[in-house]
Amino acid sequence: MRCLFAPFLLFMVILPLAVSCTNDKEDVPDDSDFEEVDKDSTMESSGEECVLPAVNMASSMPDFLKQQVETRFTSLSATISHSAKVVFASAAELYAQDRTLVAAYENGATIVVIDTDEDIIEQWLSVHDIEKSWTDNAGTADKGHNHLIYAFNNRHRYYYFDELHDNGCKEELAFFPVRFDSFVNWINKYADEDLKNAPKNMTRASNGEYDIESTFGNQVITHNFAMELSDKTIAHVIFSKPDKLTKTSSIDVTLTVYPLYSPQSNGSSHGDYYIIKGYVNVHNAGMYKGKWSKYHGGVKSHMCAFYMNKLDVETYVRQNNGEVEPKFPVGGTPVPQTTALATSYTSGFSWSISGNILGKLETGTQGGNAGVSGTCSWNNSETRSLPDVTIKRDTEHGKIKWTFNFNNLPDDYDDKIPDLAISDFETNFTWIWWMQGDPKQDKENYEYECVFKLQPKYTSWHWYSSSADFSTDEFWGIPYWKDNWFTFKLRHPERK
């Protein structure tokens, strides 16, 4: 009799627990063990506008993009004129309005191609002998999937804006005005530059040297990466639905390249030099929800997500789809360097080269080269604050890799998260690639391309009954099956 009664008692004990565990209900006021100190993070658009004369010729444009264009470009017209600085077009207009677009480009307008496969863009550029930002050897993966925006002008400024990861889920659409800030800011900065067919400054500085930044022209590549953590499980009470979260944000990358050439007559310094300034801004606030809780019957999940714990950045050179091993000239090694317990880093350096030096001019469609004789110097050294982050740098075989590891991350539910892990994380880089000269190749227009990769990693935490339950999970911010990298052609200097 006792053997039959014991299972019945066990069943009566388990039944209420099973019911409570499967009886989900929405958030309730926090108990004394948990205070919701962080609110759901919502990044707001700056609302930056562009007053430059703009023309919308695009016959097709997604509604969410059209709304931003019509709102933020305050001098938008449907009719093109000689004064146009920005021209929007889709694939149909590349051929239907062929002459009009070429004339606008030659006149200095920035052409903004909307939601078009890059193979179509490449064909159009090739027909009109307009320089593209990728090499002929770049494969489909290198040129990328369809970008929502690809912009370019005759001053060697290029802009990529990734398409949406989930074809416009509600989180992506809500964040889109913030992402669009990046594009408007880029247009305001680069769509109305001086088109003089002359270098900015061919005179020596007071120290008798030529300043590279003010003497020679440059190439600018900007890429806005889409970033998303979709439907990630943050906590899971047994017999209940998991607590999931989707957050979306973006990363801005800008690389500015100054190409120089030191001819064979300069002796051991012979070769190409590519001075590169890099800037990365990871918009972490878009990924951070904050701290929140949810009851699942009698069990309460306490959660926090997502904050960045690491950023990997990698860049290297290749030619004909094969990697090459450039040198770093003395004084031009990549910065920032590895840091230990420092709370700041140096993002630039001082460097110089002497002899007959050739570079590029900012001359629009006519092209142009600048040559000087003397000492050309570079100085962009700057100390920047970087608390709670340790930098590791590796430069093996001319390939550069930086790892930014975040310190002082939570080990318990009441630990404070470092500000940089949940807000804009900005970092700057500078380096010089030296392709040592080969007299047999000096008369050839051989090209190199730069590969740039980055990948942020995020953390979430959760606990149920006490800090003993505290646990964390990690997620990559950009899925590897999407593009977390891009390539572009290094605009080579004149070689004589």
Side-chain angles (χ1 to χ4, degrees):
M1 182 69 177
R2 287 188 308 180
C3 293
L4 293 174
F5 190 66
F8 175 77
L9 287 177
L10 180 62
F11 173 78
M12 294 303 292
V13 170
I14 292 177
L15 180 59
L17 177 61
V19 171
S20 67
C21 289
T22 57
N23 216 1
D24 292 354
K25 63 179 180 179
E26 294 305 314
D27 294 359
V28 298
D30 297 319
D31 58 26
S32 58
D33 293 329
F34 187 88
E35 180 181 4
E36 190 170 346
V37 294
D38 291 321
K39 303 299 182 183
D40 195 350
S41 176
T42 55
M43 287 188 68
E44 294 185 1
S45 168
S46 68
E48 182 177 354
E49 297 179 343
C50 177
V51 299
L52 297 173
V55 181
N56 185 8
M57 300 175 61
S59 57
S60 62
M61 183 182 293
D63 289 341
F64 61 88
L65 175 58
K66 184 177 181 180
Q67 180 184 12
Q68 291 298 312
V69 170
E70 293 179 347
T71 302
R72 310 276 283 273
F73 285 80
T74 59
S75 300
L76 190 65
S77 171
T79 306
I80 196 165
S81 67
H82 186 75
S83 63
K85 297 294 184 181
V86 184
V87 179
F88 293 90
S90 56
E93 285 71 50
L94 289 180
Y95 295 98
Q97 301 290 339
D98 181 69
R99 293 185 179 181
T100 301
L101 288 173
V102 172
Y105 170 82
E106 292 178 346
N107 192 45
T110 295
I111 308 301
V112 183
V113 185
I114 302 300
D115 205 17
T116 300
D117 190 288
E118 285 178 8
D119 287 335
I120 296 176
I121 299 175
E122 183 170 18
Q123 292 173 8
W124 187 84
L125 295 174
S126 178
V127 167
H128 297 289
D129 196 26
I130 296 175
E131 187 178 58
K132 58 183 181 290
S133 58
W134 57 88
T135 66
D136 291 331
N137 297 307
T140 303
D142 300 335
K143 289 183 288 186
H145 52 73
N146 294 358
H147 287 89
L148 183 62
I149 296 173
Y150 175 63
F152 59 95
N153 60 35
N154 63 15
R155 297 173 300 286
H156 313 288
R157 277 75 176 111
Y158 306 94
Y159 183 90
Y160 291 91
F161 189 100
D162 278 1
E163 66 182 357
L164 306 187
H165 275 173
D166 284 340
N167 298 316
C169 69
K170 65 178 183 179
E171 289 83 6
E172 288 181 309
L173 295 178
F175 187 76
F176 186 77
V178 180
R179 282 192 66 193
F180 199 72
D181 289 345
S182 165
F183 174 67
V184 178
N185 182 266
W186 185 88
I187 286 290
N188 283 332
K189 188 172 183 178
Y190 295 114
D192 195 27
E193 292 179 294
D194 192 357
L195 288 177
K196 291 180 180 178
N197 290 320
K200 289 177 266 187
N201 182 10
M202 290 298 288
T203 59
R204 299 173 190 262
S206 59
N207 61 0
E209 299 177 354
Y210 293 97
D211 177 69
I212 292 172
E213 284 193 273
S214 60
T215 302
F216 298 105
N218 57 48
Q219 165 192 22
V220 178
I221 306 287
T222 299
H223 195 126
N224 179 274
F225 285 93
M227 182 167 55
E228 183 181 73
L229 290 175
S230 180
D231 207 28
K232 299 299 182 182
T233 297
I234 310 303
H236 191 186
V237 175
I238 191 170
F239 303 135
S240 299
K241 295 179 181 179
D243 296 299
K244 294 190 174 186
L245 179 65
T246 294
K247 296 295 285 184
T248 183
S249 192
S250 64
I251 305 174
D252 290 311
V253 177
T254 295
L255 301 175
T256 304
V257 184
Y258 291 82
L260 300 177
Y261 176 70
S262 176
Q264 189 178 3
S265 60
N266 288 340
S268 59
S269 68
H270 180 209
D272 285 7
Y273 293 80
Y274 297 93
I275 306 172
I276 302 179
K277 293 193 303 181
Y279 168 77
V280 171
N281 187 351
V282 186
H283 299 291
N284 288 321
M287 304 298 285
Y288 184 63
K289 175 179 175 64
K291 298 177 182 178
W292 75 104
S293 58
K294 184 176 181 180
Y295 271 102
H296 298 272
V299 180
K300 189 176 185 181
S301 298
H302 305 265
M303 296 161 283
C304 178
F306 299 102
Y307 51 91
M308 190 160 75
N309 67 65
K310 185 173 79 166
L311 174 67
D312 288 331
V313 177
E314 182 180 348
T315 184
Y316 56 90
V317 182
R318 67 184 186 185
Q319 185 181 38
N320 297 326
N321 280 340
E323 292 185 28
V324 297
E325 294 187 17
K327 305 292 185 181
F328 301 111
V330 175
T333 55
V335 292
Q337 299 179 356
T338 297
T339 63
L341 300 176
T343 58
S344 63
Y345 70 98
T346 301
S347 63
F349 48 68
S350 296
W351 175 80
S352 64
I353 186 170
S354 298
N356 297 313
I357 306 300
L358 294 171
K360 289 291 188 181
L361 304 183
E362 294 307 328
T363 57
T365 57
Q366 296 185 22
N369 302 286
V372 299
S373 180
T375 299
C376 296
S377 61
W378 174 275
N379 185 4
N380 72 329
S381 183
E382 185 175 353
T383 300
R384 302 175 185 272
S385 176
L386 194 67
D388 300 310
V389 178
T390 301
I391 304 172
K392 181 182 178 182
R393 186 204 67 179
D394 180 52
T395 58
E396 187 176 8
H397 303 304
K399 178 183 291 188
I400 313 167
K401 183 175 180 179
W402 286 280
T403 299
F404 298 84
N405 288 304
F406 282 71
N407 305 318
N408 305 315
L409 297 175
D411 291 321
D412 204 344
Y413 63 86
D414 59 354
D415 288 347
K416 185 180 185 300
I417 299 172
D419 289 340
L420 288 177
I422 55 176
S423 61
D424 280 0
F425 175 68
E426 299 176 275
T427 185
N428 297 76
F429 316 87
T430 308
W431 71 94
I432 302 176
W433 274 320
W434 174 25
M435 316 299 186
Q436 291 180 299
D438 181 348
K440 295 180 181 180
Q441 294 185 353
D442 275 359
K443 295 182 180 180
E444 299 178 13
N445 289 325
Y446 55 96
E447 297 176 330
Y448 299 101
E449 62 184 355
C450 171
V451 181
F452 192 90
K453 302 180 179 181
L454 79 169
Q455 182 63 273
K457 182 178 277 189
Y458 289 88
T459 300
S460 69
W461 61 248
H462 67 273
W463 62 278
Y464 302 110
S465 59
S466 71
S467 59
D469 298 332
F470 185 87
S471 180
T472 62
D473 294 289
E474 295 183 336
F475 310 90
W476 289 111
I478 303 178
Y480 277 114
W481 59 89
K482 297 285 188 179
D483 286 342
N484 69 323
W485 59 295
F486 66 99
T487 70
F488 66 93
K489 179 170 61 177
L490 288 168
R491 187 180 175 223
H492 67 79
E494 183 73 11
R495 305 180 181 107
K496 292 183 180 180

